[in-house]
Amino acid sequence: MTTPFSITTINVNGIRAAVKQRSDDNPGMLPWLEDAAPDVVLMQEVRAGDAIARKALQPALDAGWHFVHTESSVKGRAGVGILSRRAPSQVRVGFGSDEFDTAGRYIEADFDFGGETVTAASLYLPTGAAPTEQEKDIEKYEEKRRFLEAFRPYLDKLLGTGGLAVVAGDWNIAPDERDIKNWKGNLKNAGFLPHERAWVAGLLEAGWADVAREHHGDVAGPYAWWSWRGKAFDNDAGWRIDYHLATPALAARAQRTWVDRAGAYNLRWSDHAPVTAVFG
């Protein structure tokens, strides 16, 4: 690869809401897409059927962008997509799970960059819940546990190919204390439970590289998700749950990465911020 290329991950929190012009100062996602001009955009929580998602993205498609997408079997939930400046050579949905392949949580595509094949995958891992006496919490806790158990062998297989691959998205797990502002207050909350962090640690021990952490070093954040409540965004009391995990071959080519944090609360078009990594 002689020409650098960029891969952005962003949980759009509903594609129709993301592209909506909210004010004169906040025109939504589409102007950001034009200005930022990443090569590949991995989207999560599209939360729309394919026809509706394409309608929302029509200005980008008219401008030459390509879009592949898998929606959830549960209407209005999840959904992941890949928006790219060049057409993918191959697209694969799911990771071989009877339970999760129709849940709109994983899609991957192959792209040709400089004569080499790069696999870019968009992941929306279940939010989960801390186990309580509430049946709903138990169900969400168990769903996430099953997803982690089913997904790990696929990641091991992808890593084992030795190829150029990146899995990015909303992992819904902050890897360690540096990745959440109020980590002490969230030790018993979903996204920071011991078994969740251990699962991510296992991926890193196996050889997956956390591109942003390796780039930014031993610092707090940078965060990419903030609660809508209170002054979380203004105080930068966020979580780093949106990140790129790359195979060693691709991670070695990482040049830089950053969070495209909005300049003010009212300029956001999602409760997540885009996270971009450049490879070359």
Side-chain angles (χ1 to χ4, degrees):
M1 291 179 287
T2 57
T3 303
F5 63 92
S6 56
I7 297 178
T8 296
T9 180
I10 172 63
N11 181 320
V12 297
N13 196 19
I15 191 60
R16 285 171 289 183
V19 302
K20 182 179 179 180
Q21 179 169 347
R22 298 170 185 240
S23 69
D24 290 340
D25 295 326
N26 185 352
M29 176 183 173
L30 293 175
W32 166 84
L33 183 66
E34 184 177 349
D35 292 341
D39 291 289
V40 178
V41 182
L42 306 172
M43 298 187 293
Q44 303 86 44
E45 279 204 274
V46 176
R47 299 210 306 260
D50 198 63
I52 293 174
R54 289 183 178 278
K55 183 177 179 181
L57 292 167
Q58 195 61 53
L61 301 182
D62 290 342
W65 288 83
H66 302 267
F67 179 61
V68 294
H69 169 234
T70 179
E71 59 189 274
S72 173
S73 57
V74 180
K75 187 176 180 180
R77 297 284 302 277
V80 288
I82 301 177
L83 197 61
S84 57
R85 296 165 68 84
R86 65 185 67 192
S89 58
Q90 295 286 335
V91 177
R92 295 172 291 276
V93 172
F95 50 90
S97 166
D98 291 339
E99 178 178 5
F100 296 110
D101 282 0
T102 60
R105 293 193 176 275
Y106 186 82
I107 187 172
E108 66 180 35
D110 294 337
F111 296 93
D112 181 283
F113 288 111
E116 295 183 287
T117 298
V118 176
T119 298
S122 180
L123 167 71
Y124 179 47
L125 205 147
T127 304
T132 69
E133 295 181 356
Q134 299 295 319
E135 184 176 350
K136 184 177 181 180
D137 289 339
I138 296 173
E139 290 177 355
K140 293 177 69 175
Y141 174 86
E142 289 297 333
E143 177 194 32
K144 190 171 188 177
R145 183 192 60 76
R146 292 193 306 274
F147 189 99
L148 298 180
E149 183 177 342
F151 193 37
R152 175 62 193 266
Y154 185 82
L155 290 174
D156 288 343
K157 181 179 178 181
L158 187 57
L159 180 67
T161 65
L164 303 170
V166 59
V167 179
D170 183 353
W171 293 78
N172 266 315
I173 300 173
D176 61 47
E177 296 169 3
R178 298 168 295 182
D179 300 311
I180 174 172
K181 181 69 171 287
N182 181 25
W183 66 268
K184 290 183 179 179
N186 284 280
L187 289 170
K188 296 182 179 181
N189 290 335
F192 203 58
L193 297 175
H195 80 278
E196 296 172 335
R197 287 181 281 135
W199 185 82
V200 175
L203 296 179
L204 301 179
E205 290 170 3
W208 286 96
D210 183 338
V211 176
R213 177 53 62 211
E214 293 194 358
H215 174 78
H216 293 290
D218 188 15
V219 299
Y223 310 122
W225 176 79
W226 305 263
S227 170
W228 288 112
R229 296 176 294 180
K231 295 287 185 178
F233 181 81
D234 294 337
N235 297 328
D236 199 22
W239 294 53
R240 194 178 74 91
I241 53 177
D242 306 84
Y243 41 89
H244 302 68
L245 294 192
T247 57
L250 185 59
R253 304 188 187 192
Q255 297 182 347
R256 60 193 181 103
T257 181
W258 68 92
V259 177
D260 198 353
R261 189 177 187 272
Y265 181 90
N266 65 341
L267 300 180
R268 306 166 72 191
W269 40 267
S270 172
D271 54 344
H272 294 252
V275 182
T276 301
V278 176
F279 303 90

